Amino acid sequence: ITLEGRYFSEEPKYPAQQEHNASVVLEPELYHTFDNGAIFQLKPFVRLDSNEDQRNHWDIREANIVYPAEEWEMQIGISKVFWGASEFVHLVDIINQTDSVENFGGEEKLGQPMLRFTVPQDRGMFEFFLLPWFRERTFPGEQDRLRSEPIIDTNHPVYESAAEQSHPDFAMRYSHTFSNADAGLYHFIGTSREPDLILGGDQFNPVLRPYYSQIGQTGMDVQIVAGDWLLKGEALYRIGQGRSFAAAVFGFEYTFYGIAESRADLGIIGEYVLDDRADKSLTVFTNDVIGGFRLALNDAAGSEVLAGIMKDINFSTVMFSLETNRRLTEHLKLHLEALVILDAAEQDAAQSLAQDSHCSIELQYFF
């Protein structure tokens, strides 16, 4: 159970938005192993927020059964799958839909109904996915902070497929571990998790309606260990959503171990992301450089800090993010996040967030 408070440093940019908000999050988890080796997992999620718009919501993050056999493994139900290697921008992660109400950076995902079949290899793994039901992306509502203008109308989505949410999606991925590297290659066919936004409503009440296209996407991710260096990269090529396009992110992390003769480690992070859709991309990361650091104190409390500053090469937009964790007691944990919009260019998608710099403090209790 988590108690969270969000404080915004400036007044709302749009009239209906609330200034600050507080909430409680319930996220119980049930895990059970049967005698035959099968595993059952259940993880519901509920947020009760002082803002009664889209932040007040619930979801089933996981509810599945995993059946392991000698040469294969099958998972059926609702689950979460992560693909990617970079730290700040995750381009190739496509199985689960983004929960934009929860996190501006796209870190939080909705549970995805799936049938997953895994075949281990000598130093790799084949994975096959059947995704029978599509999850629409969540977006902040009219009263929420960190929203667009006009607002995104999630009640009236548009689909390219006549089957809409019941259109089945398919994916296949092969991952392989080399002596000092991990790499993955996949192909996805189905409904795009990233909708286009088309103008709807009327001249007095304009809205943006999500349009979900049918796409084919090939992606790859790689992570290489070279001494104290960690080299990372992700790339994708997508067809079927307007013109075909490519996007990539690559970077590094260099770690100083035992700084100042202590147990602490300091990692210096650098990334560059390029999306050739430019201003037609739904993300604010289209041609950006990102620099940051990760500090791990390696103490009993598990104290960690991750910070980064993002600069748009095309525009003047600059954003700073901070995330830190520390256990207070055996049952209590403190989590802090901050997002500071240092500059937001008029031409950039980040302009709607210009007054949404904020700090979020969470007190998590584990039973």
Side-chain angles (χ1 to χ4, degrees):
I1 182 171
T2 300
L3 300 178
E4 179 191 286
R6 289 202 307 177
Y7 172 79
F8 290 83
S9 60
E10 299 182 61
E11 293 183 354
K13 185 173 182 177
Y14 307 112
Q17 290 179 308
Q18 294 193 354
E19 191 165 1
H20 312 294
N21 62 294
S23 60
V24 58
V25 174
L26 305 174
E27 197 168 16
E29 183 173 358
L30 174 64
Y31 179 94
H32 181 74
T33 303
F34 297 93
D35 293 338
N36 63 356
I39 300 169
F40 174 72
Q41 302 173 86
L42 175 64
K43 193 172 184 179
F45 173 91
V46 179
R47 179 181 292 277
L48 304 175
D49 198 277
S50 59
N51 182 358
E52 296 183 358
D53 210 330
Q54 300 300 318
R55 283 275 293 176
N56 216 9
H57 69 132
W58 68 276
D59 184 41
I60 301 296
R61 297 305 203 212
E62 295 190 64
N64 60 73
I65 293 179
V66 180
Y67 183 78
E70 187 173 341
E71 297 183 353
W72 51 268
E73 180 180 281
M74 185 173 65
Q75 181 182 58
I76 185 168
I78 299 172
S79 190
K80 292 172 68 175
V81 175
F82 173 76
W83 295 339
S86 61
E87 187 62 53
F88 294 105
V89 182
H90 306 302
L91 290 178
V92 301
D93 194 27
I94 194 172
I95 293 295
N96 291 81
Q97 180 60 275
T98 299
D99 190 350
S100 297
V101 170
E102 279 298 305
N103 186 276
F104 162 77
E107 299 289 337
E108 294 294 333
K109 299 291 183 175
L110 300 173
Q112 171 63 49
M114 68 176 68
L115 173 63
R116 178 183 185 180
F117 189 74
T118 305
V119 182
Q121 303 295 299
D122 185 30
R123 295 181 60 85
M125 181 170 61
F126 280 105
E127 296 175 276
F128 304 89
F129 296 84
L130 168 62
L131 312 171
W133 184 259
F134 176 74
R135 300 295 308 278
E136 296 171 359
R137 181 171 293 200
T138 65
F139 290 98
E142 187 176 13
Q143 300 176 37
D144 296 321
R145 301 297 290 260
L146 298 163
R147 72 165 174 85
S148 65
E149 178 62 26
I151 64 168
I152 298 173
D153 182 7
T154 57
N155 294 321
H156 300 91
V158 182
Y159 288 87
E160 179 180 349
S161 170
E164 298 187 341
Q165 284 186 281
S166 59
H167 183 281
D169 302 335
F170 303 92
M172 181 182 73
R173 184 175 193 262
Y174 178 70
S175 55
H176 192 88
T177 298
F178 300 91
S179 59
N180 64 336
D182 294 302
L185 177 67
Y186 75 82
H187 187 69
F188 171 90
I189 301 174
T191 306
S192 174
R193 272 54 180 158
E194 183 185 35
D196 292 313
L197 300 176
I198 58 177
L199 190 62
D202 54 47
Q203 60 178 329
F204 301 106
N205 296 288
V207 295
L208 297 174
R209 299 177 64 185
Y211 180 83
Y212 294 100
S213 303
Q214 292 299 301
I215 65 167
Q217 178 170 307
T218 301
M220 67 173 297
D221 57 273
V222 62
Q223 185 168 274
I224 303 172
V225 179
D228 296 336
W229 291 89
L230 188 60
L231 308 178
K232 310 175 183 182
E234 299 181 22
L236 66 85
Y237 183 76
R238 184 184 300 174
I239 60 173
Q241 193 170 9
R243 72 173 182 86
S244 301
F245 74 93
V249 56
F250 56 88
F252 68 88
E253 181 171 352
Y254 183 83
T255 302
F256 297 91
Y257 295 97
I259 59 174
E261 299 183 354
S262 69
R263 292 176 297 180
D265 300 330
L266 177 65
I268 305 301
I269 303 170
E271 291 183 359
Y272 171 67
V273 56
L274 177 65
D275 185 326
D276 72 4
R277 291 175 296 174
D279 59 350
K280 295 187 181 300
S281 173
L282 189 61
T283 174
V284 297
F285 303 112
T286 54
N287 188 16
D288 299 71
V289 289
I290 306 171
F293 70 88
R294 184 203 317 275
L295 176 64
L297 298 185
N298 296 320
D299 56 356
S303 305
E304 291 185 347
V305 178
L306 175 65
I309 188 164
M310 294 140 273
K311 173 67 175 72
D312 193 303
I313 295 177
N314 296 329
F315 306 118
S316 61
T317 301
V318 181
M319 294 185 290
F320 171 79
S321 68
L322 174 72
E323 182 177 345
T324 181
N325 293 284
R326 180 179 174 83
R327 284 196 306 273
L328 302 178
T329 69
E330 183 180 353
H331 298 285
L332 281 175
K333 184 177 180 180
L334 183 67
H335 176 78
L336 184 146
E337 289 188 20
L339 176 67
V340 182
I341 314 296
L342 299 171
D343 191 9
E346 288 290 340
Q347 314 95 311
D348 198 351
Q351 175 54 217
S352 62
L353 312 176
Q355 295 175 207
D356 283 342
S357 295
H358 68 279
C359 176
S360 171
I361 300 177
E362 297 181 359
L363 186 62
Q364 303 170 349
Y365 185 84
F366 296 87
F367 294 90

